[in-house]
Amino acid sequence: MESETRYIGGWSFQPNRFFFSYPVIPAESHPPSKMKASLMLLLAPLVSAAPTVEHRQASQSIDALFKAKGKEFYGTATDQGRLQAGRNAAIIEANFGQVTPENSMKWESLNPRQGQYNWGQADYLVNWATERNKTIRGHTFVWHSQLAGWVNQINNRDQLTRVIQEHIRTVGGRYKGKIYHWDVINEMFNEDGSLRNSVFSRVLGESFVKIAFDAARETDPSAKLYINDYNLDQPNYAKVTRGMVANVNKWLSQGIPIDGIGTQGHLQSGQGNGLAQTIKVLAATSVKEVAVTELDIQNNNSNDYVAVTRGCLEEPKCRAITVWGVRDQDSWRPQGNPLLFDSNYNAKANYNAIVQLLSQ
Ligand code: XIL
């Protein structure tokens, strides 16, 4: 985890781990309290007595508006616990076209012990989305964080290769044809663009990239395969230029089947334009497409949401945006109220600013 403050372009920010250290308490550990549940019951008649609110939200779906501009989806992150709580499912149905499992498809969730798979929550998400015609981004096959402990202990090349291949074949195979994008590799670069120290890089060097992408392509040939990372928010930042751009071009020239670059987009207020410019830099690689995969912006800065959305609109290779959650209070970094809906499930100024941009 990076905790030092970094200075880029004249102003300061900390990489996206400033408020939390892993592991963050998973969403499932926060069941709605009895107080909240009874408050929701009291408010239920008010909510159902106001169908026009739902209608307004549905008719102003940022997903529908984004698609009308030629893009593929405006989505969000969620999971079973959220989908079964409050109005999350209704909001997602009305306003978003895609879901990413916030935690349920991570290695430690799906495959905590060798040979043991827990499918319940991931299956729920996939079924929920499939039944409602929502696109799914699979997240994520190979990541140093939220990784099963048993994988971290492997120190043999052949064994780790087989374990990666088997994990991808098992998970990718189960959901074959249902997952539109897979984040095949997540967060593999250091801030200076070098390879992050992880069990994967220690045991396999950078060959784990080819191992993982080849296995994903063989398993589900129709899925678009993404490499995803954070702090890709400044066009001249080393992690962008020396890290993602240089390496993806190299790996593509070697025939590694990378279809897309994902920039997570966990932003500070004021970084929207930087991300918009970085989208262009990522799109200038030989990769086919780019997506903003985990957008959240601290301190309610609608201008930043507009800048990022416009940045994606203006770059033909940018195909989609996913925000990292529905309500501020459910965000993994809730202090900065970074999302599009407030605690009463009302669309915030951030949401309305996106609607306004996309309605022009
Ligand atoms: C976060 C989730 O939102 C939290 O619920 C969890 O406790 C920790 O992980 N980069 C990623 C996401 O790729 O998977 C992370 O999601 C946020 C940072």
Side-chain angles (χ1 to χ4, degrees):
M1 130 144 193
E2 301 78 10
S3 56
E4 77 274 33
T5 302
R6 293 184 179 276
Y7 296 90
I8 293 179
W11 51 278
S12 72
F13 73 100
Q14 291 179 309
N16 70 341
R17 306 297 186 260
F18 25 83
F19 292 124
F20 294 94
S21 55
Y22 287 122
V24 180
I25 301 161
E28 293 67 39
S29 313
H30 297 294
S33 70
K34 287 212 172 104
M35 269 264 271
K36 276 188 210 147
S38 52
L39 189 64
M40 265 151 42
L41 279 179
L42 279 175
L43 291 176
L46 295 178
V47 172
S48 55
T52 48
V53 172
E54 290 215 29
H55 181 71
R56 180 182 60 74
Q57 285 172 351
S59 67
Q60 296 189 326
S61 156
I62 51 174
D63 177 64
L65 293 170
F66 209 34
K67 284 174 171 148
K69 298 280 188 192
K71 299 299 173 182
E72 294 187 354
F73 53 79
Y74 220 118
T76 190
T78 191
D79 254 322
Q80 178 172 9
R82 298 271 185 249
L83 286 169
Q84 293 181 323
R87 299 194 60 233
N88 289 304
I91 296 284
I92 296 172
E93 278 210 68
N95 300 292
F96 294 104
Q98 172 270 334
V99 287
T100 303
E102 186 171 357
N103 288 298
S104 65
M105 285 190 194
K106 294 171 181 175
W107 201 316
E108 70 171 5
S109 310
L110 276 182
N111 183 201
R113 272 168 289 279
Q114 190 159 21
Q116 180 199 318
Y117 280 87
N118 303 328
W119 298 112
Q121 297 202 15
D123 280 0
Y124 184 95
L125 183 286
V126 170
N127 291 336
W128 186 91
T130 308
E131 283 161 13
R132 288 159 185 83
N133 210 16
K134 303 291 183 194
T135 302
I136 305 168
R137 298 195 80 256
H139 177 80
T140 174
F141 285 142
V142 174
W143 187 25
H144 68 280
S145 183
Q146 294 182 278
L147 177 62
W150 66 272
V151 180
N152 252 322
Q153 275 147 34
I154 298 173
N155 51 28
N156 174 283
R157 284 184 75 93
D158 290 346
Q159 193 191 352
L160 188 58
T161 302
R162 275 198 309 276
V163 161
I164 293 171
Q165 289 169 335
E166 208 173 285
H167 182 75
I168 292 176
R169 285 175 193 147
T170 306
V171 179
R174 184 177 185 88
Y175 301 123
K176 183 175 178 176
K178 293 183 170 175
I179 306 277
Y180 187 57
H181 291 177
W182 264 113
D183 285 335
V184 176
I185 293 182
N186 196 30
E187 302 187 349
M188 66 167 292
F189 295 112
N190 289 319
E191 299 305 299
D192 67 359
S194 59
L195 224 62
R196 176 194 291 277
N197 179 15
S198 70
V199 66
F200 305 110
S201 64
R202 281 194 305 276
V203 177
L204 294 166
E206 69 173 54
S207 73
F208 76 88
V209 177
K210 179 173 166 54
I211 292 166
F213 275 92
D214 282 349
R217 180 63 99 224
E218 279 163 29
T219 302
D220 189 352
S222 66
K224 298 189 185 194
L225 306 183
Y226 269 70
I227 179 167
N228 196 47
D229 219 315
Y230 68 96
N231 281 352
L232 306 179
D233 312 318
Q234 299 285 324
N236 299 319
Y237 194 44
K239 192 173 185 176
V240 173
T241 54
R242 281 209 290 275
M244 192 61 95
V245 167
N247 282 293
V248 165
N249 280 333
K250 179 186 69 189
W251 293 327
L252 283 169
S253 76
Q254 295 168 355
I256 297 179
I258 303 171
D259 297 310
I261 298 176
T263 168
Q264 293 183 4
H266 296 293
L267 302 187
Q268 294 300 305
S269 183
Q271 285 189 299
N273 282 320
L275 177 49
Q277 285 161 32
T278 309
I279 288 172
K280 290 200 192 107
V281 172
L282 299 174
T285 61
S286 23
V287 85
K288 290 193 210 83
E289 60 182 62
V290 171
V292 180
T293 54
E294 304 181 13
L295 184 61
D296 54 21
I297 306 174
Q298 297 288 290
N299 303 320
N300 273 329
N301 197 332
S302 298
N303 292 338
D304 287 312
Y305 269 105
V306 168
V308 174
T309 307
R310 184 183 283 127
C312 188
L313 275 181
E314 289 177 353
E315 170 49 59
K317 278 192 186 176
C318 184
R319 304 307 303 143
I321 298 177
T322 304
V323 292
W324 205 243
V326 173
R327 291 192 306 175
D328 286 335
Q329 71 187 72
D330 297 329
S331 164
W332 73 303
R333 41 183 213 157
Q335 292 89 337
N337 295 315
L339 295 174
L340 303 180
F341 290 84
D342 68 18
S343 52
N344 295 316
Y345 298 100
N346 290 318
K348 294 167 37 177
N350 290 343
Y351 187 92
N352 297 327
I354 298 170
V355 168
Q356 208 182 352
L357 169 74
L358 295 177
S359 303
Q360 283 165 16

